[in-house]
Coordinates of all heavy atoms in Angstrom, one line a residue:
M384 N -8.7 20.4 -3.2 CA -9.0 18.9 -3.3 C -10.4 18.7 -3.8 O -11.2 19.5 -3.9 CB -8.9 18.3 -1.9 CG -7.6 18.6 -1.2 SD -6.4 17.3 -1.6 CE -4.9 18.1 -1.1
S385 N -10.6 17.4 -4.1 CA -11.9 17.1 -4.8 C -13.1 17.1 -3.8 O -14.2 17.0 -4.2 CB -11.8 15.8 -5.5 OG -11.5 14.8 -4.6
N386 N -12.8 17.1 -2.5 CA -13.9 17.2 -1.5 C -14.4 18.6 -1.4 O -14.3 19.3 -0.4 CB -13.4 16.7 -0.1 CG -14.5 16.5 0.9 OD1 -15.6 16.6 0.5 ND2 -14.1 16.4 2.1
S387 N -15.1 19.0 -2.4 CA -15.6 20.4 -2.5 C -16.8 20.5 -1.7 O -17.7 19.6 -1.7 CB -15.8 20.6 -4.0 OG -16.5 21.8 -4.2
S388 N -17.0 21.7 -1.2 CA -18.2 22.0 -0.4 C -19.3 22.5 -1.3 O -20.4 22.9 -0.9 CB -17.9 23.0 0.7 OG -17.5 24.2 0.2
K389 N -19.0 22.6 -2.6 CA -20.0 23.1 -3.6 C -21.0 22.0 -3.8 O -20.7 20.8 -4.0 CB -19.4 23.5 -4.9 CG -18.4 24.6 -4.8 CD -17.8 24.9 -6.1 CE -16.5 24.3 -6.2 NZ -15.8 24.4 -7.5
F390 N -22.3 22.4 -4.0 CA -23.3 21.4 -4.3 C -24.0 21.7 -5.6 O -25.1 21.3 -5.8 CB -24.3 21.3 -3.1 CG -23.7 20.8 -1.8 CD1 -23.5 21.7 -0.8 CD2 -23.2 19.5 -1.7 CE1 -22.9 21.2 0.4 CE2 -22.6 19.1 -0.6 CZ -22.5 19.9 0.5
N391 N -23.3 22.4 -6.4 CA -23.7 22.6 -7.8 C -25.2 23.1 -7.9 O -25.9 22.6 -8.8 CB -23.4 21.4 -8.7 CG -22.0 21.0 -8.7 OD1 -21.1 21.9 -8.7 ND2 -21.7 19.7 -8.7
G392 N -25.6 23.9 -7.0 CA -26.9 24.5 -7.1 C -28.0 23.4 -6.8 O -29.2 23.6 -7.0
S393 N -27.6 22.3 -6.2 CA -28.6 21.3 -5.8 C -29.3 21.7 -4.5 O -28.8 22.4 -3.7 CB -27.9 20.0 -5.5 OG -27.2 19.5 -6.7
Y394 N -30.6 21.2 -4.5 CA -31.4 21.5 -3.3 C -32.1 20.2 -2.9 O -32.1 19.2 -3.6 CB -32.5 22.5 -3.7 CG -32.0 23.8 -4.2 CD1 -31.8 24.1 -5.5 CD2 -31.6 24.8 -3.3 CE1 -31.3 25.3 -5.9 CE2 -31.1 26.0 -3.7 CZ -30.9 26.3 -5.0 OH -30.4 27.5 -5.4
G395 N -32.6 20.2 -1.7 CA -33.4 19.1 -1.2 C -32.6 17.8 -1.1 O -31.4 17.8 -0.6
F396 N -33.1 16.8 -1.6 CA -32.5 15.4 -1.5 C -31.2 15.4 -2.2 O -30.2 14.8 -1.7 CB -33.5 14.4 -2.2 CG -32.9 13.0 -2.0 CD1 -32.9 12.4 -0.8 CD2 -32.4 12.3 -3.1 CE1 -32.4 11.1 -0.7 CE2 -31.9 11.0 -3.0 CZ -31.9 10.4 -1.8
S397 N -31.0 16.0 -3.4 CA -29.7 16.0 -4.1 C -28.6 16.7 -3.2 O -27.5 16.1 -3.1 CB -29.8 16.7 -5.4 OG -30.6 16.0 -6.3
A398 N -28.9 17.8 -2.6 CA -27.9 18.5 -1.8 C -27.6 17.7 -0.5 O -26.5 17.6 -0.1 CB -28.4 19.9 -1.4
E399 N -28.6 17.1 0.0 CA -28.5 16.2 1.2 C -27.6 15.0 0.9 O -26.7 14.7 1.7 CB -29.8 15.7 1.7 CG -29.8 14.9 2.9 CD -31.1 14.4 3.4 OE1 -32.1 15.0 3.0 OE2 -31.2 13.3 4.1
T400 N -27.8 14.4 -0.3 CA -27.0 13.3 -0.7 C -25.5 13.7 -0.9 O -24.6 13.0 -0.4 CB -27.5 12.6 -2.0 OG1 -28.9 12.2 -1.7 CG2 -26.7 11.5 -2.4
Q401 N -25.3 14.8 -1.5 CA -24.0 15.3 -1.8 C -23.3 15.7 -0.5 O -22.1 15.4 -0.3 CB -24.0 16.5 -2.7 CG -24.4 16.2 -4.1 CD -24.5 17.4 -5.0 OE1 -24.4 18.5 -4.6 NE2 -24.7 17.1 -6.3
R402 N -24.0 16.3 0.5 CA -23.4 16.6 1.8 C -23.0 15.3 2.5 O -22.0 15.2 3.2 CB -24.4 17.4 2.7 CG -24.3 18.9 2.5 CD -25.1 19.6 3.5 NE -26.5 19.5 3.4 CZ -27.3 20.2 2.5 NH1 -26.7 21.1 1.8 NH2 -28.6 20.0 2.5
K403 N -23.8 14.3 2.4 CA -23.6 13.0 3.1 C -22.3 12.4 2.5 O -21.5 11.9 3.2 CB -24.8 12.1 2.9 CG -24.7 10.9 3.8 CD -26.0 10.1 3.7 CE -26.1 8.9 4.7 NZ -27.3 8.2 4.6
Q404 N -22.2 12.4 1.2 CA -21.0 11.8 0.5 C -19.8 12.6 1.0 O -18.7 12.0 1.2 CB -21.1 11.9 -1.0 CG -22.1 10.8 -1.5 CD -22.2 10.9 -3.0 OE1 -22.2 12.0 -3.6 NE2 -22.3 9.8 -3.7
A405 N -19.9 13.9 1.0 CA -18.7 14.8 1.3 C -18.3 14.5 2.8 O -17.1 14.5 3.1 CB -19.1 16.3 1.2
S406 N -19.2 14.2 3.7 CA -18.9 14.0 5.1 C -18.1 12.7 5.2 O -17.4 12.5 6.2 CB -20.1 14.0 5.9 OG -20.9 12.8 5.7
K407 N -18.3 11.8 4.3 CA -17.6 10.5 4.4 C -16.2 10.5 3.7 O -15.5 9.5 3.8 CB -18.4 9.4 3.7 CG -19.7 9.1 4.5 CD -20.5 8.0 3.7 CE -21.8 7.7 4.4 NZ -22.6 6.7 3.7
Y408 N -15.9 11.6 3.0 CA -14.7 11.7 2.2 C -13.5 11.8 3.1 O -13.5 12.6 4.0 CB -14.8 12.9 1.3 CG -13.7 12.8 0.2 CD1 -14.0 12.0 -1.0 CD2 -12.5 13.4 0.3 CE1 -13.0 12.0 -2.0 CE2 -11.6 13.3 -0.7 CZ -11.8 12.6 -1.8 OH -10.9 12.5 -2.8
D409 N -12.5 10.9 2.9 CA -11.3 10.9 3.8 C -10.2 11.6 3.1 O -9.5 11.1 2.2 CB -10.9 9.5 4.1 CG -9.8 9.3 5.1 OD1 -9.1 10.3 5.3 OD2 -9.7 8.2 5.7
V410 N -9.9 12.9 3.5 CA -8.9 13.7 2.8 C -7.5 13.1 3.1 O -6.7 13.2 2.2 CB -9.0 15.2 3.4 CG1 -7.9 16.0 2.8 CG2 -10.4 15.8 3.0
E411 N -7.3 12.6 4.3 CA -6.0 12.0 4.6 C -5.7 10.8 3.7 O -4.6 10.6 3.2 CB -5.9 11.6 6.0 CG -5.9 12.8 7.0 CD -5.9 12.3 8.4 OE1 -5.6 11.2 8.7 OE2 -6.2 13.2 9.3
L412 N -6.7 10.0 3.4 CA -6.5 8.9 2.5 C -6.2 9.3 1.1 O -5.4 8.8 0.4 CB -7.8 8.0 2.5 CG -7.7 6.7 1.6 CD1 -6.5 5.8 2.0 CD2 -9.0 6.0 1.7
E413 N -6.9 10.4 0.7 CA -6.6 11.0 -0.6 C -5.2 11.4 -0.7 O -4.5 11.1 -1.7 CB -7.6 12.2 -0.9 CG -7.2 12.8 -2.2 CD -7.9 14.2 -2.5 OE1 -9.1 14.2 -2.3 OE2 -7.2 15.1 -2.8
Q414 N -4.7 12.1 0.3 CA -3.3 12.6 0.3 C -2.3 11.4 0.2 O -1.3 11.4 -0.5 CB -3.0 13.5 1.5 CG -3.8 14.8 1.4 CD -3.7 15.5 2.7 OE1 -3.3 15.0 3.8 NE2 -4.2 16.8 2.7
E415 N -2.6 10.4 0.9 CA -1.7 9.2 0.9 C -1.7 8.5 -0.4 O -0.7 8.1 -1.0 CB -2.2 8.2 2.0 CG -1.3 7.0 2.2 CD -1.8 6.1 3.3 OE1 -2.6 6.5 4.2 OE2 -1.5 4.9 3.2
L416 N -2.9 8.4 -1.0 CA -3.0 7.8 -2.3 C -2.4 8.6 -3.4 O -1.7 8.1 -4.3 CB -4.5 7.6 -2.7 CG -5.2 6.4 -2.0 CD1 -6.7 6.5 -2.2 CD2 -4.6 5.1 -2.4
R417 N -2.6 10.0 -3.3 CA -1.9 10.9 -4.2 C -0.4 10.7 -4.2 O 0.2 10.6 -5.2 CB -2.3 12.3 -3.8 CG -1.6 13.4 -4.7 CD -1.9 14.8 -4.2 NE -3.3 15.1 -4.2 CZ -3.9 15.6 -5.3 NH1 -3.2 15.8 -6.4 NH2 -5.2 15.9 -5.3
R418 N 0.2 10.7 -3.0 CA 1.6 10.5 -2.9 C 2.1 9.2 -3.5 O 3.1 9.2 -4.3 CB 2.1 10.6 -1.4 CG 2.2 12.0 -0.9 CD 2.9 12.0 0.5 NE 2.2 11.3 1.5 CZ 1.2 11.7 2.2 NH1 0.8 13.0 2.0 NH2 0.6 11.0 3.1
F419 N 1.4 8.1 -3.2 CA 1.7 6.8 -3.7 C 1.6 6.8 -5.3 O 2.6 6.4 -5.9 CB 0.8 5.7 -3.2 CG 1.0 4.4 -3.7 CD1 2.1 3.6 -3.3 CD2 0.2 3.9 -4.7 CE1 2.3 2.3 -3.9 CE2 0.4 2.6 -5.3 CZ 1.4 1.8 -4.8
I420 N 0.5 7.3 -5.8 CA 0.4 7.3 -7.3 C 1.4 8.1 -8.0 O 2.0 7.7 -9.0 CB -1.1 7.7 -7.6 CG1 -2.1 6.6 -7.2 CG2 -1.2 7.9 -9.2 CD1 -3.5 7.1 -7.2
E421 N 1.6 9.3 -7.4 CA 2.6 10.3 -8.1 C 4.0 9.7 -8.0 O 4.8 9.9 -8.9 CB 2.4 11.7 -7.4 CG 1.2 12.4 -7.8 CD 1.0 13.7 -7.2 OE1 1.7 14.1 -6.2 OE2 0.1 14.5 -7.7
D422 N 4.3 9.1 -6.8 CA 5.7 8.5 -6.7 C 5.9 7.4 -7.7 O 6.9 7.3 -8.3 CB 5.9 8.0 -5.3 CG 6.1 9.1 -4.2 OD1 6.3 10.3 -4.7 OD2 6.0 8.8 -3.0
K423 N 4.9 6.5 -7.8 CA 5.0 5.3 -8.7 C 5.0 5.7 -10.2 O 5.8 5.1 -10.9 CB 3.9 4.3 -8.4 CG 4.0 3.6 -7.1 CD 5.2 2.7 -7.1 CE 5.2 2.0 -5.8 NZ 6.4 1.2 -5.6
T424 N 4.2 6.7 -10.5 CA 4.0 7.0 -12.0 C 4.9 8.1 -12.4 O 5.2 8.3 -13.6 CB 2.6 7.4 -12.3 OG1 2.2 8.6 -11.6 CG2 1.6 6.3 -12.0
G425 N 5.4 9.0 -11.5 CA 6.1 10.1 -11.9 C 5.3 11.2 -12.5 O 5.8 12.1 -13.2
T426 N 4.0 11.1 -12.4 CA 3.0 12.0 -13.0 C 2.3 12.8 -11.9 O 1.8 12.1 -11.0 CB 2.0 11.2 -13.9 OG1 2.7 10.5 -14.8 CG2 1.1 12.2 -14.6
E427 N 2.2 14.1 -12.0 CA 1.4 14.9 -11.1 C -0.1 14.8 -11.4 O -0.5 14.9 -12.5 CB 1.9 16.3 -11.1 CG 1.3 17.1 -10.0 CD 1.8 18.5 -9.9 OE1 3.0 18.7 -10.1 OE2 1.0 19.5 -9.7
I428 N -0.9 14.5 -10.4 CA -2.3 14.3 -10.6 C -3.0 15.7 -10.8 O -4.0 15.7 -11.6 CB -2.9 13.6 -9.4 CG1 -2.4 12.1 -9.4 CG2 -4.5 13.6 -9.4 CD1 -2.8 11.3 -8.1
G429 N -2.5 16.7 -10.1 CA -3.2 18.0 -10.2 C -3.9 18.3 -9.0 O -4.0 17.5 -8.1
P430 N -4.5 19.5 -8.9 CA -5.2 20.0 -7.7 C -6.4 19.2 -7.3 O -6.7 19.1 -6.2 CB -5.5 21.4 -8.0 CG -5.5 21.6 -9.4 CD -4.5 20.6 -10.0
D431 N -7.2 18.7 -8.3 CA -8.4 18.0 -8.1 C -8.2 16.5 -8.3 O -8.0 16.1 -9.5 CB -9.5 18.5 -8.9 CG -10.9 18.0 -8.5 OD1 -11.0 16.7 -8.2 OD2 -11.9 18.7 -8.5
F432 N -8.1 15.7 -7.3 CA -7.8 14.3 -7.3 C -8.7 13.6 -8.3 O -8.2 12.8 -9.2 CB -7.9 13.7 -5.9 CG -7.4 12.3 -5.8 CD1 -6.0 12.1 -5.9 CD2 -8.2 11.3 -5.5 CE1 -5.5 10.8 -5.7 CE2 -7.7 10.0 -5.3 CZ -6.4 9.8 -5.4
A433 N -10.0 13.8 -8.2 CA -11.0 13.0 -9.0 C -10.8 13.4 -10.5 O -10.8 12.5 -11.4 CB -12.4 13.3 -8.6
V434 N -10.7 14.7 -10.8 CA -10.5 15.2 -12.1 C -9.2 14.6 -12.7 O -9.1 14.2 -13.9 CB -10.5 16.7 -12.2 CG1 -10.2 17.2 -13.6 CG2 -11.9 17.2 -11.9
G435 N -8.1 14.6 -11.9 CA -6.9 14.1 -12.4 C -6.9 12.6 -12.8 O -6.1 12.2 -13.6
L436 N -7.7 11.8 -12.2 CA -7.8 10.4 -12.4 C -9.0 10.0 -13.4 O -9.0 8.9 -13.8 CB -8.0 9.6 -11.1 CG -6.8 9.8 -10.1 CD1 -7.1 9.0 -8.8 CD2 -5.5 9.4 -10.7
K437 N -9.8 11.0 -13.7 CA -11.1 10.7 -14.4 C -10.9 10.1 -15.7 O -11.7 9.2 -16.1 CB -11.8 12.0 -14.6 CG -13.1 11.9 -15.2 CD -13.8 13.3 -15.3 CE -15.1 13.2 -16.1 NZ -15.8 14.5 -16.1
N438 N -9.8 10.4 -16.5 CA -9.7 9.9 -17.8 C -9.0 8.5 -17.8 O -8.9 7.9 -18.9 CB -9.0 10.9 -18.8 CG -7.5 11.1 -18.4 OD1 -7.0 10.4 -17.6 ND2 -6.9 12.0 -19.1
G439 N -8.5 8.1 -16.7 CA -8.0 6.7 -16.6 C -6.5 6.6 -17.0 O -5.9 5.5 -16.8
V440 N -5.9 7.6 -17.6 CA -4.5 7.5 -18.1 C -3.6 7.2 -16.9 O -2.8 6.3 -17.0 CB -4.1 8.8 -18.8 CG1 -2.7 8.7 -19.2 CG2 -5.0 8.9 -20.1
I441 N -3.7 8.0 -15.8 CA -2.7 7.8 -14.7 C -3.0 6.5 -14.0 O -2.0 5.8 -13.6 CB -2.9 9.0 -13.7 CG1 -2.4 10.3 -14.4 CG2 -2.1 8.7 -12.4 CD1 -2.6 11.5 -13.5
L442 N -4.2 6.0 -13.9 CA -4.5 4.7 -13.4 C -3.9 3.6 -14.2 O -3.3 2.7 -13.6 CB -6.0 4.5 -13.2 CG -6.7 5.5 -12.3 CD1 -8.2 5.3 -12.4 CD2 -6.3 5.3 -10.8
C443 N -4.0 3.7 -15.5 CA -3.4 2.7 -16.3 C -1.9 2.7 -16.2 O -1.2 1.6 -16.2 CB -3.8 2.9 -17.8 SG -5.5 2.5 -18.1
R444 N -1.3 3.9 -16.2 CA 0.2 4.0 -16.0 C 0.6 3.4 -14.6 O 1.6 2.7 -14.6 CB 0.6 5.4 -16.1 CG 0.6 6.0 -17.5 CD 1.1 7.4 -17.5 NE 1.0 7.9 -18.8 CZ 1.0 9.2 -19.1 NH1 1.0 10.1 -18.2 NH2 0.9 9.6 -20.4
L445 N -0.2 3.6 -13.6 CA 0.1 3.0 -12.3 C 0.1 1.5 -12.4 O 1.1 0.9 -11.9 CB -0.9 3.5 -11.3 CG -0.9 2.9 -9.9 CD1 0.5 3.2 -9.2 CD2 -2.0 3.3 -9.0
L446 N -0.9 1.0 -13.0 CA -1.0 -0.5 -13.1 C 0.2 -1.1 -13.8 O 0.8 -2.1 -13.5 CB -2.3 -0.9 -13.7 CG -2.9 -2.2 -13.3 CD1 -3.0 -2.4 -11.8 CD2 -4.2 -2.5 -13.9
N447 N 0.6 -0.4 -14.9 CA 1.8 -0.8 -15.7 C 3.1 -0.7 -14.9 O 4.0 -1.4 -15.2 CB 1.8 -0.1 -17.0 CG 0.9 -0.6 -18.0 OD1 0.4 -1.8 -17.9 ND2 0.5 0.2 -19.0
K448 N 3.2 0.3 -14.0 CA 4.4 0.4 -13.2 C 4.4 -0.7 -12.1 O 5.5 -1.2 -11.8 CB 4.4 1.8 -12.4 CG 4.6 2.9 -13.3 CD 6.1 3.0 -13.8 CE 6.3 4.2 -14.6 NZ 7.7 4.3 -15.0
L449 N 3.2 -1.1 -11.6 CA 3.2 -2.2 -10.6 C 3.4 -3.5 -11.3 O 4.1 -4.4 -10.7 CB 1.8 -2.2 -9.9 CG 1.5 -0.9 -9.1 CD1 0.1 -0.9 -8.6 CD2 2.5 -0.7 -8.0
Q450 N 2.9 -3.7 -12.5 CA 3.0 -5.0 -13.2 C 3.1 -4.6 -14.7 O 2.1 -4.3 -15.4 CB 1.9 -5.9 -13.0 CG 2.0 -7.2 -13.7 CD 3.1 -8.1 -13.1 OE1 3.2 -8.2 -11.9 NE2 3.9 -8.7 -14.0
P451 N 4.4 -4.5 -15.3 CA 4.5 -4.1 -16.7 C 3.7 -4.9 -17.6 O 3.4 -6.1 -17.5 CB 6.0 -4.4 -16.9 CG 6.6 -4.3 -15.6 CD 5.6 -4.8 -14.6
K452 N 3.2 -4.2 -18.7 CA 2.4 -4.7 -19.8 C 1.0 -5.2 -19.4 O 0.5 -6.0 -20.1 CB 3.2 -5.7 -20.6 CG 4.5 -5.2 -21.2 CD 5.2 -6.3 -21.9 CE 6.5 -5.7 -22.5 NZ 7.3 -6.7 -23.2
T453 N 0.5 -4.8 -18.2 CA -0.8 -5.2 -17.8 C -1.9 -4.5 -18.6 O -2.8 -5.2 -19.1 CB -1.0 -4.9 -16.3 OG1 0.0 -5.6 -15.6 CG2 -2.4 -5.4 -15.8
V454 N -1.7 -3.2 -18.9 CA -2.6 -2.5 -19.7 C -2.0 -2.1 -21.0 O -0.9 -1.4 -21.0 CB -3.1 -1.2 -18.9 CG1 -4.1 -0.4 -19.8 CG2 -3.7 -1.6 -17.6
K455 N -2.6 -2.5 -22.1 CA -2.0 -2.1 -23.4 C -3.0 -1.2 -24.1 O -4.2 -1.2 -23.9 CB -1.9 -3.4 -24.2 CG -0.9 -4.4 -23.6 CD -0.8 -5.7 -24.4 CE 0.2 -6.6 -23.7 NZ -0.3 -7.9 -23.5
G456 N -2.4 -0.3 -24.9 CA -3.2 0.6 -25.7 C -3.9 1.7 -24.9 O -5.1 1.8 -25.1
I457 N -3.2 2.4 -24.1 CA -3.8 3.5 -23.3 C -4.1 4.6 -24.2 O -3.3 5.1 -25.0 CB -2.9 3.9 -22.2 CG1 -2.5 2.8 -21.3 CG2 -3.5 5.1 -21.3 CD1 -1.3 3.1 -20.3
N458 N -5.4 5.2 -24.1 CA -5.7 6.4 -24.8 C -5.2 7.6 -24.1 O -5.8 8.1 -23.2 CB -7.3 6.5 -24.9 CG -7.8 5.4 -25.8 OD1 -7.4 5.3 -27.0 ND2 -8.8 4.7 -25.3
K459 N -3.9 8.0 -24.4 CA -3.2 9.0 -23.6 C -3.8 10.4 -23.7 O -3.6 11.2 -22.9 CB -1.8 9.0 -24.1 CG -1.1 7.7 -23.7 CD 0.4 7.7 -24.0 CE 1.0 6.4 -23.5 NZ 1.7 5.7 -24.5
T460 N -4.6 10.6 -24.8 CA -5.2 12.0 -24.9 C -6.7 11.9 -24.8 O -7.4 12.6 -25.4 CB -4.8 12.6 -26.3 OG1 -5.3 11.7 -27.3 CG2 -3.4 12.8 -26.4
A461 N -7.1 11.0 -23.9 CA -8.5 10.7 -23.7 C -9.3 12.0 -23.2 O -9.1 12.5 -22.1 CB -8.7 9.6 -22.7
K462 N -10.1 12.5 -24.1 CA -10.9 13.6 -23.8 C -12.4 13.3 -23.9 O -13.3 13.7 -23.2 CB -10.6 14.8 -24.7 CG -9.2 15.3 -24.6 CD -9.1 16.6 -23.9 CE -7.7 17.2 -24.0 NZ -6.9 16.9 -22.8
M463 N -12.7 12.4 -24.9 CA -14.1 12.0 -25.1 C -14.5 11.0 -24.1 O -13.6 10.1 -23.7 CB -14.2 11.4 -26.5 CG -13.8 12.3 -27.7 SD -14.9 13.7 -27.8 CE -16.4 12.9 -28.3
P464 N -15.7 11.0 -23.6 CA -16.1 10.0 -22.6 C -15.9 8.6 -22.9 O -15.5 7.8 -22.0 CB -17.6 10.3 -22.4 CG -17.8 11.7 -22.9 CD -16.8 11.9 -24.0
F465 N -16.1 8.2 -24.2 CA -15.8 6.7 -24.5 C -14.4 6.4 -24.4 O -14.0 5.2 -24.0 CB -16.5 6.4 -25.8 CG -15.9 7.0 -27.0 CD1 -14.8 6.5 -27.7 CD2 -16.4 8.3 -27.5 CE1 -14.3 7.1 -28.8 CE2 -15.9 8.9 -28.6 CZ -14.8 8.3 -29.2
H466 N -13.4 7.3 -24.7 CA -12.0 7.0 -24.5 C -11.7 6.9 -23.0 O -10.9 6.0 -22.6 CB -11.2 8.1 -25.1 CG -11.1 8.1 -26.6 ND1 -11.1 9.2 -27.4 CD2 -11.1 7.0 -27.5 CE1 -11.1 8.9 -28.7 NE2 -11.1 7.6 -28.8
C467 N -12.2 7.8 -22.2 CA -12.0 7.7 -20.8 C -12.5 6.4 -20.2 O -11.9 5.7 -19.4 CB -12.7 8.9 -20.1 SG -12.1 10.5 -20.6
M468 N -13.7 6.0 -20.7 CA -14.3 4.7 -20.2 C -13.5 3.5 -20.6 O -13.4 2.6 -19.9 CB -15.8 4.6 -20.7 CG -16.6 3.6 -20.0 SD -16.7 4.1 -18.3 CE -17.1 2.5 -17.6
E469 N -12.9 3.6 -21.8 CA -12.1 2.5 -22.3 C -10.9 2.4 -21.4 O -10.5 1.2 -21.0 CB -11.6 2.8 -23.7 CG -12.6 2.4 -24.8 CD -12.0 2.7 -26.2 OE1 -10.8 3.1 -26.3 OE2 -12.8 2.5 -27.1
N470 N -10.2 3.5 -21.0 CA -9.1 3.4 -20.1 C -9.5 2.9 -18.7 O -8.8 2.0 -18.2 CB -8.5 4.8 -19.9 CG -7.7 5.3 -21.1 OD1 -7.3 4.5 -21.9 ND2 -7.5 6.6 -21.2
I471 N -10.6 3.3 -18.2 CA -11.1 2.9 -16.9 C -11.4 1.4 -17.0 O -11.0 0.6 -16.1 CB -12.3 3.6 -16.4 CG1 -12.0 5.1 -16.2 CG2 -12.9 3.0 -15.1 CD1 -11.0 5.4 -15.2
T472 N -12.0 0.9 -18.0 CA -12.3 -0.5 -18.2 C -11.0 -1.3 -18.3 O -10.9 -2.4 -17.7 CB -13.2 -0.7 -19.5 OG1 -14.4 0.0 -19.3 CG2 -13.5 -2.2 -19.7
K473 N -10.0 -0.8 -19.0 CA -8.7 -1.5 -19.1 C -8.0 -1.6 -17.7 O -7.5 -2.6 -17.4 CB -7.8 -0.8 -20.1 CG -8.2 -1.0 -21.6 CD -7.4 -0.2 -22.5 CE -7.9 -0.3 -23.9 NZ -7.0 0.4 -24.9
F474 N -8.2 -0.5 -17.0 CA -7.6 -0.5 -15.6 C -8.3 -1.5 -14.8 O -7.6 -2.3 -14.1 CB -7.7 0.9 -15.0 CG -7.4 1.0 -13.6 CD1 -6.1 0.9 -13.1 CD2 -8.4 1.1 -12.6 CE1 -5.8 1.0 -11.8 CE2 -8.2 1.1 -11.3 CZ -6.9 1.1 -10.8
L475 N -9.6 -1.5 -14.8 CA -10.4 -2.5 -13.9 C -10.1 -3.9 -14.4 O -9.9 -4.8 -13.5 CB -11.8 -2.2 -14.0 CG -12.3 -0.9 -13.3 CD1 -13.7 -0.6 -13.6 CD2 -12.0 -0.9 -11.8
N476 N -10.0 -4.2 -15.7 CA -9.7 -5.5 -16.1 C -8.3 -5.9 -15.7 O -8.1 -7.1 -15.4 CB -9.9 -5.6 -17.7 CG -11.3 -5.6 -18.1 OD1 -12.2 -5.9 -17.3 ND2 -11.6 -5.2 -19.3
G477 N -7.4 -5.0 -15.8 CA -6.0 -5.3 -15.3 C -6.0 -5.6 -13.9 O -5.2 -6.5 -13.4
C478 N -6.7 -4.9 -13.1 CA -6.8 -5.2 -11.6 C -7.3 -6.6 -11.4 O -6.7 -7.3 -10.6 CB -7.7 -4.1 -10.9 SG -7.0 -2.5 -10.8
R479 N -8.4 -6.9 -12.1 CA -8.9 -8.3 -11.9 C -7.9 -9.4 -12.3 O -7.8 -10.4 -11.7 CB -10.2 -8.4 -12.8 CG -11.4 -7.7 -12.2 CD -12.6 -8.0 -13.0 NE -13.6 -6.9 -12.6 CZ -13.9 -5.9 -13.4 NH1 -13.4 -5.7 -14.6 NH2 -14.8 -5.0 -13.0
K480 N -7.2 -9.1 -13.4 CA -6.2 -10.0 -13.9 C -5.1 -10.2 -12.9 O -4.5 -11.3 -12.8 CB -5.6 -9.4 -15.2 CG -4.6 -10.2 -15.9 CD -4.2 -9.6 -17.2 CE -2.9 -10.0 -17.8 NZ -2.5 -9.3 -19.0
L481 N -4.8 -9.2 -12.1 CA -3.7 -9.3 -11.0 C -4.3 -9.8 -9.7 O -3.6 -9.9 -8.7 CB -3.1 -7.9 -10.8 CG -2.3 -7.4 -12.0 CD1 -1.8 -6.0 -11.7 CD2 -1.2 -8.3 -12.4
G482 N -5.6 -10.1 -9.7 CA -6.2 -10.6 -8.5 C -6.6 -9.5 -7.5 O -6.9 -9.8 -6.3
I483 N -6.7 -8.3 -7.9 CA -7.1 -7.2 -7.1 C -8.7 -7.1 -7.2 O -9.2 -6.9 -8.3 CB -6.5 -5.8 -7.5 CG1 -5.0 -6.0 -7.5 CG2 -7.0 -4.7 -6.6 CD1 -4.2 -4.8 -8.1
P484 N -9.4 -7.3 -6.1 CA -10.8 -7.2 -6.2 C -11.4 -5.9 -6.5 O -10.9 -4.9 -6.3 CB -11.3 -7.7 -4.8 CG -10.1 -7.6 -3.9 CD -8.9 -7.5 -4.7

């Protein structure tokens, strides 16, 4: 899961911040969201939840399953950061359009 105990060689304040974030991470909520998203989209997220959603493709597909044609022009092979950011922006704009805060 994405709640990794690795702190990427961080020390001091950085490691403390990462530990604090990790302690707040709700693994049960992740599993519930994973099931919901995978059931709705028919797409497997993969072993790392955050990495699976990072490029925004699955999020855009989810929104389109909930409300068809909400997100247009998904960058399905998003590898470059700006393509990923475009997908995330389209997802967030679609959420706002549907009244999701």
